[in-house]
Amino acid sequence: AGYMEVKNRCTYLGNSVWIGPNAVIVEKINIGDNVLIAANSYVNFDVPSNSIVIGNPGRIFHQQTLLKDISVKNGLKNE
């Protein structure tokens, strides 16, 4: 119950993803845009955009919301 199998799912890397040396990324996960994966990290989960992942097992060390996203949510125009 509550489990859905996704068949033929591929690993997805977003734009501006930096992967440190000896990092391991398992197959069939999504990595968002502007992500940094530190050296020697082991990533076995989906990583949201604008995140830094470190460690073995990997964990999200920092996640940042972009100023542009905050401005749009508050109805401000970015000129």
Side-chain angles (χ1 to χ4, degrees):
Y3 175 77
M4 184 175 84
E5 183 176 335
V6 179
K7 294 183 179 181
N8 298 327
R9 186 174 165 201
C10 298
T11 299
Y12 170 79
L13 295 177
N15 295 315
S16 298
V17 174
W18 290 56
I19 302 172
N22 299 319
V24 175
I25 301 171
V26 299
E27 59 185 31
K28 300 182 180 179
I29 64 169
N30 294 317
I31 297 178
D33 296 333
N34 308 313
V35 170
L36 186 145
I37 298 173
N40 302 311
S41 295
Y42 181 83
V43 183
N44 59 353
F45 58 93
D46 288 346
V47 180
S49 294
N50 308 309
S51 299
I52 298 173
V53 178
I54 62 170
N56 183 1
R59 59 186 166 82
I60 296 177
F61 175 72
H62 181 72
Q63 185 175 4
Q64 180 174 338
T65 303
L66 297 176
L67 182 59
K68 178 181 173 185
D69 295 338
I70 294 170
S71 297
V72 170
K73 288 179 185 177
N74 292 329
L76 302 173
K77 292 183 181 178
N78 189 5
E79 299 181 28

